Amino acid sequence: MSVTLSKLKKMHQAKQKIVCLTAYDASFAHWVSAAGVEVILVGDSLGMVVQGHATTLPVTLDEMVYHTQMVQRGNEQAWCIADLPFMSDTTIEQTMQSAARLMKEGGANMVKLEGGVRVLQSVSALSALGIPVCGHLGLLPQSVEKYGYKVQGKDSVSAKQLVNEAVALQDSGAEMLVLECVPAELAREITDLLNIPVIGIGSGKNTSGQVLVLNDMLGITVGKSPKFSKNFMLQSTSIQDALAHYVSEVKAEIFPSDTHVIA
Ligand SMILES: Nc1nc(=O)c2c([nH]1)NC[C@@H]1CN(c3ccc(C(=O)N[C@@H](CCC(=O)O)C(=O)O)cc3)CN21
Ligand SMILES: CC(C)C(=O)C(=O)O
Ligand SMILES: [Mg+2]
């Protein structure tokens, strides 16, 4: 039985933790799915951890389609989200065409796009077509050249703005939301306010679920992994064992602990 949007919404309502991981190819998608991970994200982070770029900006829509295809050949049960890459979502029309390719050619179940106010009309248009949309607020890696990698929503003005954007995304038809590097208390407030699942990364333990970059949790990221991540291989005897530990620690609210945050 494959994971559905209605199952994920029920888990959010029942406060059962949703486990999410990135994957970029068929073999890893197979083992991530076999571990019982509910959501696989084909993240544009592949530009950094697979392609070796310094940021996610060079990733193309063709490359996202290709990786989504590979992931969906290996994925047996997880809900699959594919990222719209940088500059593939600049107008409503372009966003529709890009999302169509990720769904039709890639076989994604849902598309994710970064931003708040900027993307509201596109979210409405996709939603009206029956395309499930995941929002992404907080640290926006596609805007790194402008803002850097920093915690967002630290002062009361930017916190209020984040809450407003989260509600606006939901009202525009978003069915899920990723919160990246947002203070834990703000992430809790947004999660409690929304009736769609909120998946956190570097945002504390009080979201509906957690996501990590697969390479970080397997300890194979070259150079520094973000401070909010955790290498599950250190307590494991195989990749499959590390995936099982990640699933059980998210479910039991052991991961993330208070140390898994960036300053
Ligand atoms: N390997 C990897 N893991 C990720 O979680 C990830 C990616 N890549 N690529 C896409 C985005 C970018 N993300 C990032 C990338 C870097 C930091 C980072 O460098 N954090 C520093 C503090 C930043 C600073 O102060 O300059 C840290 O201490 O963790 C955070 C999130 C999250 N995503
Ligand atoms: C870090 C997650 C949320 C992401 O967008 C990615 O992997 O590209
Ligand atoms: Mg991404």
Side-chain angles (χ1 to χ4, degrees):
M1 247 293 279
S2 292
V3 172
T4 59
L5 208 45
S6 84
K7 172 178 167 141
L8 295 169
K9 282 198 179 155
K10 285 195 186 102
M11 289 179 73
H12 165 70
Q13 282 158 5
K15 294 186 180 287
Q16 292 165 349
K17 292 294 171 186
I18 297 166
V19 186
C20 176
L21 265 182
T22 70
Y24 312 106
D25 68 26
S27 327
F28 278 111
H30 170 86
W31 292 113
V32 167
S33 169
V37 167
E38 281 101 5
V39 179
I40 292 180
L41 172 64
V42 187
D44 60 352
S45 50
L46 68 88
M48 295 168 75
V49 298
V50 178
Q51 298 174 332
H53 292 296
T55 69
T56 61
L57 306 202
V59 177
T60 67
L61 183 62
D62 284 343
E63 290 163 352
M64 290 307 301
V65 169
Y66 173 63
H67 282 279
T68 306
Q69 288 171 337
M70 293 191 276
V71 163
Q72 288 298 63
R73 286 181 207 126
N75 171 24
E76 271 115 58
Q77 58 78 34
W79 179 257
C80 177
I81 310 176
D83 268 351
L84 284 159
F86 180 57
M87 295 300 273
S88 73
D89 59 357
T90 62
T91 64
I92 297 173
E93 185 61 28
Q94 188 198 20
T95 307
M96 306 261 257
Q97 298 301 330
S98 301
R101 291 199 58 204
L102 292 172
M103 305 282 290
K104 290 179 77 143
E105 299 172 46
N109 301 118
M110 174 179 245
V111 300
K112 177 162 80 59
L113 75 187
E114 294 184 9
V117 171
R118 178 186 78 84
V119 302
L120 292 179
Q121 284 185 298
S122 293
V123 171
S124 300
L126 291 169
S127 182
L129 276 178
I131 297 179
V133 184
C134 181
H136 182 156
L137 293 174
L139 189 159
L140 306 179
Q142 291 175 16
S143 302
V144 63
E145 302 289 2
K146 187 164 176 185
Y147 301 112
Y149 294 126
K150 285 204 290 277
V151 173
Q152 303 294 309
K154 279 219 250 192
D155 60 273
S156 63
V157 174
S158 65
K160 184 80 186 113
Q161 168 79 4
L162 271 178
V163 173
N164 290 343
E165 289 189 314
V167 171
L169 282 167
Q170 172 174 286
D171 290 348
S172 300
E175 312 271 5
M176 209 180 298
L177 176 65
V178 165
L179 281 184
E180 180 164 351
C181 297
V182 165
E185 275 314 305
L186 180 58
R188 177 209 295 273
E189 181 188 338
I190 291 170
T191 304
D192 290 348
L193 190 61
L194 299 191
N195 46 48
I196 57 173
V198 176
I199 309 297
I201 174 164
S203 301
K205 64 170 67 194
N206 299 306
T207 50
S208 324
Q210 296 291 329
V211 59
L212 277 184
V213 165
L214 180 67
N215 299 54
D216 294 339
M217 61 81 64
L218 294 178
I220 57 171
T221 297
V222 179
K224 238 176 45 172
S225 287
K227 235 192 106 223
F228 55 69
S229 65
K230 172 175 169 181
N231 178 1
F232 283 83
M233 281 304 281
L234 297 176
Q235 68 202 81
S236 307
T237 54
S238 67
I239 286 170
Q240 289 83 352
D241 192 32
L243 293 169
H245 277 123
Y246 174 66
V247 172
S248 64
E249 289 199 9
V250 171
K251 294 282 182 198
E253 300 183 29
I254 297 167
F255 177 84
S257 76
D258 297 340
T259 60
H260 297 117
V261 288
I262 65 170

